[in-house]
Each structure stands twice: as structure tokens, then as C-alpha cells.
Amino acid sequence: MKGERSASPTPETAELARRLFADLRAAADGERAAQMAAYMRDQFRYLGVQTPARRKISRPFLNAAKKERLLDWDFVDVCWRAEEREFQYVAADYLRKVNRLLTVADLPRIRGLAVTKPWWDTVDSLNATVGSVVARSSEAHSCEGRELILKWARDESMWVRRLAIDHQLQRKESTDVELLSSIIEANLGSGEFFIDKAIGWALRDYSKTDPEWVRAFIAEHRRDMAALAVREASKYL
């Protein structure tokens, strides 16, 4: 059952959001920030707040948002515009928390996040959210989500294509293998490291559920698959 969508948080949740921002900044650690930035090739600025601490600080706000069935895109946009990378991680955590409120109509906005300050960390953090939306669309006997994700598989942005490839990670028996196959086939021979890696991960993940299908896919497409993709896909075979 869908929750009600809301554009305006309650005063209590708005206060929790303000406190979240203040508490994250108060927890800044300059030494860790430098290390985290270096790991990401110094592309982004960090506060130096590691994942366990970030999630502990954000938990009251995220739980309140889920409880009141709030879908606050303004909050997401503010987090994504923030200079420090941790705020983009908070936005991704938030979208996963309220994912039941998201519909196919929200996917263009999620695409916008994927191409803004893009790197593997934020793009991959959107996988589960997109996967849930597309799956619910299919469960409702709608082809909208499926059609859109197939367009993403051929998007001009490498990061959107990566998101399409990996959006079904960990769906196990619920994986739409026809969709998985179509998306991967559209990206074979790209020559892009992050695309080849994503293909390998998608196949490796599904090999835990149906190794024979993955073996057959690799055998059929090996000529066009990058060595990296084959190596990653074959890890558990």
C-alpha cells in the first residue's frame, strides 16, 4: 500500500533535518576527510564522517521521515547541492528509507542525481532504490519502469547506463533475466571500465541464484565481453 506523498515536512521532521546537518558538520574530522577525499581521487570534499557515524547521526531524521510517509525532494536536492560528499550519501540513504513512496514518475529525478557530481559511490547508492521502483511497476502490470530502464541502458551518460545494469543487484529469484540480458547486451564492447565492471558484478550477483544461466550468457557473448567483465562474472562459477 502506497503512503501519502508530501512536499512539506512536519515542523518536527524539519527540525530533525536541521539538526542532522548541524550534527554532521560538528562531527567533522579533518584528517579522515583528507583520507576519504584521496580515496576518491580528490574529486569531492568530505567532512570526514565515516558511514557508521553518519548513519547514527541521520537515524532520527530518517526514521521520522519514514514514519510520517514523507517524500521530500527538497531535502534530497539540498543534500545533493551540499559541497561535502556525506550529504549525498544521506540523500541516498533517505531515498532507500522512503522508497515505497517512489514511483516511475520519480525516476527522471533520480537520473538527475546520477549525473550530478557523478562517481561510482553515489551512482551505486541508487541501485536498490531504482530496482525497487522498477520491480513495483512490473508487479503492477505496468511496463513504464521497464521501458524507462531500457532507455537508460542506452543513455548518453555512462553513469546512467551503469545504474541500469546494476539496478537488479540482490533481487535473486525476482531478477528479470530478460531485462538483465537486454541491458547488458546494449553495453557490451563499451570500452568503459565502470561499465565492464558493472556488467561483471550484475552477472556475478545473479550467478549465486542461477549459475547455469550466467555460464550460458558468458559462453554466448564471450567474444564481445571485456576480460574484466568475464573475470568478475565468473568469480563464483
Side-chain angles (χ1 to χ4, degrees), residues 16-233:
L16 285 172
R18 286 191 290 271
R19 192 182 309 164
L20 160 61
F21 269 67
D23 289 350
L24 278 174
R25 294 194 186 283
D29 182 317
E31 184 175 347
R32 281 206 181 105
Q35 294 169 354
M36 293 166 78
Y39 181 69
M40 290 295 176
R41 303 182 184 178
D42 291 311
Q43 296 182 93
F44 312 104
R45 181 177 174 181
Y46 280 83
L47 291 169
V49 180
Q50 295 181 308
T51 297
R54 184 191 80 239
R55 288 183 172 162
K56 182 178 180 180
I57 291 169
S58 63
R59 188 176 299 126
F61 168 76
L62 296 179
N63 288 342
K66 182 178 181 180
K67 184 177 180 180
E68 69 179 26
R69 298 177 182 275
L70 173 70
L71 180 53
D72 186 354
W73 273 109
D74 287 341
F75 173 78
V76 175
D77 291 341
V78 168
C79 285
W80 223 267
R81 288 196 301 269
E83 186 174 1
E84 297 89 356
R85 198 65 164 168
E86 285 89 345
F87 291 106
Q88 282 94 70
Y89 300 157
V90 167
D93 289 343
Y94 169 80
L95 288 172
R96 284 193 296 271
K97 198 75 168 179
V98 300
N99 81 85
R100 296 298 300 181
L101 302 181
L102 294 163
T103 70
V104 173
D106 294 298
L107 290 179
R109 297 193 73 155
I110 294 176
R111 181 195 176 282
L113 300 179
V115 298
T116 304
K117 303 179 183 178
W119 198 243
W120 63 264
D121 55 339
T122 50
V123 172
D124 291 359
S125 72
L126 300 170
N127 281 331
T129 299
V130 172
S132 295
V133 173
V134 174
R136 285 197 299 274
S137 175
S138 297
E139 290 163 6
H141 306 292
S142 168
C143 60
E144 286 183 283
R146 203 172 189 275
E147 289 177 352
L148 184 56
I149 208 71
L150 282 169
K151 289 181 181 178
W152 284 16
R154 295 171 172 80
D155 196 272
E156 62 183 3
S157 168
M158 170 188 72
W159 298 111
V160 176
R161 298 199 304 275
R162 179 180 170 97
L163 184 49
I165 292 165
D166 282 344
H167 84 281
Q168 292 195 86
L169 288 179
Q170 299 182 5
R171 297 204 69 82
K172 300 180 181 178
E173 291 83 1
S174 298
T175 300
D176 181 337
V177 292
E178 182 182 347
L179 180 60
L180 176 64
S181 180
S182 295
I183 291 172
I184 292 176
E185 287 170 357
N187 285 276
L188 293 176
S190 73
E192 294 281 359
F193 170 85
F194 287 110
I195 293 296
D196 293 335
K197 192 82 167 178
I199 289 171
W201 282 350
L203 292 172
R204 180 180 69 187
D205 182 69
Y206 190 58
S207 74
K208 300 173 190 176
T209 299
D210 192 341
E212 292 306 316
W213 186 92
V214 174
R215 285 194 188 96
F217 185 93
I218 294 172
E220 180 181 355
H221 298 285
R222 183 180 288 272
R223 180 181 299 177
D224 299 314
M225 289 180 68
L228 171 62
V230 173
R231 185 167 63 251
E232 291 287 347

